[in-house]
Structures are given as structure tokens and as C-alpha cells.
Amino acid sequence: MVEKKLVALTFDDGPTPGITDQVLDVLETNQVVASFFLIGQKITEKSEYLVRRAYEMGCSIENHSRTHPGMPELKDQEILDEVSYTTEQIVRITGEQPKFFRPPYISYNQKMYDLIDLYFICGYGCEDWEPSVTAQERINRILHDAKPGFIILLHDMEDNVQTVEAIKTIIPALKEQGYEFVTVRDLFQKSGISPQKNVIYMGADEVRKNYE
């Protein structure tokens, strides 16, 4: 059981000019770090500055596939290509390999575990891809679920200004409760837990049991 009040804030589906910038501004203002799970095809000449900025701020840069497909239906080589492309882009920009993978739609199977040489991450979300979920609802759900070793799953995707607004409250509120914001890598390291293969993590010491 994780006893330290550690929390990993994570963002999927970027980099997104106009949104990821605002997320990074909020992180910088609050002097915290996060982890960004990138979609490879969204890393372009016009967006890679965001990857570089996040990395230079101390954030970790992780893998969320190239095109965000439902991956259990793909052929083996297609799965490998989805992951390797994004890894290559991350290494090109940061010089560092990703260590974690978040499956698109949190859809995964044993074949993916066997093929993808990264640790699988899920986390606690608040359906923040859905515009009808207000910023206040997002805040309420994340703060309700918070516990030591917590992984927060949010999205820095197009037009997602409500999540930008939500983290302006979530981050200070959790800091006020004594939480330290860390990358997913440091979440495991500082919790004294070595991530394992063939599981997907909801938190540093909590795995999700079933395929969905």
C-alpha cells in the first residue's frame, strides 16, 4: 500500500497547440509536473515545441499509439508499428525512451501485453472528453477519487478548455491536502514499487483485473 501522498497527473491525446500550452502554463504556475501520453500522428513541426517544453519542465513523455485505433483488432505488425512510430518521435525530440503505454480507449488484450515492451497505465478519469461534463463535475470526481498512489487520467485534446479550467482548481486543492505531484515514473519509484508486465495500473499499487 502506498503511504506517501503522491499523485501522477496524466494527459492523453496531445500534443495540441492551443490546449497543451494552457495545460503547461497551469503546471508551471503551480510548480508541478505531469506525464503526457502522446499520439504520434499529432507530433508535427507545429506541435513538437510542446513536447520539448513539457520535457524541459520535468514532465515525462509517454506513448499513446500513433493513430489512436482500437488495438486488439489489429494485426501483430500493426500493433508494433503503432507503438514504435510514437516511440521514435518521442526519442527524436527528447532523447529519452518512453516507459509507459496507455492503450487507446483503455482497450487491450494479452496479445498487446506480449507485443508492447512498455508498462500499461490506465488511471482514474472523469469523462473529460465529453463536453457535457462540466469543469466543476470534473473537479468533484477527481477530488472524490484521490488517494495516495493516485493516477489522474485527463485529456489535452482539441477544444478541451474545461479540463484546463478544472486543473486550475484540482492541483491547488490536492496540494492543500498534502499531495505531491510526480510523473508516473516517479510515482512508482518513490512508492518503492517496480511496475510489472501483463497488468494495467489504476494507481501505483492498484491494477485493473479484466480486459475491456
Side-chain angles (χ1 to χ4, degrees):
M1 180 175 167
V2 177
E3 295 179 359
K4 296 178 183 175
K5 293 187 86 171
L6 302 173
V7 57
L9 185 57
T10 71
F11 295 91
D12 284 6
D13 295 0
T16 309
I19 294 293
T20 308
D21 317 58
Q22 294 184 65
V23 169
L24 292 171
D25 289 346
V26 176
L27 298 180
E28 209 159 43
T29 297
N30 288 277
Q31 298 182 301
V32 300
V33 294
S35 298
F36 290 85
F37 287 77
L38 306 186
I39 294 178
Q41 68 179 5
K42 292 186 67 179
I43 303 170
T44 66
E45 287 183 11
K46 292 183 177 179
S47 70
E48 69 175 58
Y49 76 94
L50 293 164
V51 184
R52 197 167 287 111
R53 180 184 171 195
Y55 182 74
E56 289 172 355
M57 283 172 55
C59 297
S60 77
I61 311 299
E62 312 294 352
N63 194 315
H64 192 41
S65 81
R66 179 178 183 169
T67 65
H68 205 280
M71 292 179 72
E73 292 76 41
L74 299 184
K75 297 173 182 172
D76 288 13
Q77 190 58 50
E78 291 172 326
I79 291 172
L80 292 169
D81 291 346
E82 281 284 333
V83 176
S84 64
Y85 177 88
T86 301
T87 288
E88 286 163 12
Q89 294 300 308
I90 291 169
V91 171
R92 178 179 64 80
I93 296 169
T94 69
E96 195 168 339
Q97 295 270 350
K99 291 187 178 178
F100 292 92
F101 177 72
R102 184 173 274 133
Y105 312 108
I106 313 298
S107 181
Y108 56 97
N109 59 8
Q110 187 62 47
K111 178 171 68 171
M112 290 167 62
Y113 281 148
D114 294 341
L115 290 170
I116 298 170
D117 192 26
L118 297 167
Y119 302 113
F120 281 48
I121 289 281
C122 180
Y124 287 85
C126 55
E127 296 176 305
D128 74 318
W129 62 86
E130 177 54 65
S132 64
V133 180
T134 67
Q136 189 60 52
E137 287 177 284
R138 300 171 195 211
I139 293 164
N140 294 345
R141 287 176 61 173
I142 295 299
L143 295 182
H144 175 268
D145 288 338
K147 58 186 174 182
F150 188 44
I151 297 170
I152 300 172
L153 194 175
L154 297 171
H155 295 77
D156 57 329
M157 62 191 201
E158 284 78 2
D159 303 320
N160 202 8
V161 290
Q162 291 192 96
T163 282
V164 175
E165 290 307 308
I167 61 173
K168 291 177 182 177
T169 296
I170 290 167
I171 295 171
L174 289 175
K175 287 178 80 172
E176 183 72 21
Q177 292 178 33
Y179 280 93
E180 176 189 356
F181 283 81
V182 293
T183 65
V184 285
R185 303 179 189 202
D186 284 343
L187 182 70
F188 286 93
Q189 187 176 9
K190 292 188 175 191
S191 299
I193 295 169
S194 297
Q196 304 296 313
K197 296 293 177 65
N198 292 311
V199 294
I200 185 165
Y201 286 91
M202 295 294 293
D205 60 349
E206 182 185 358
V207 300
R208 185 171 173 149
K209 296 286 193 296
N210 302 318
Y211 298 129
E212 289 199 1

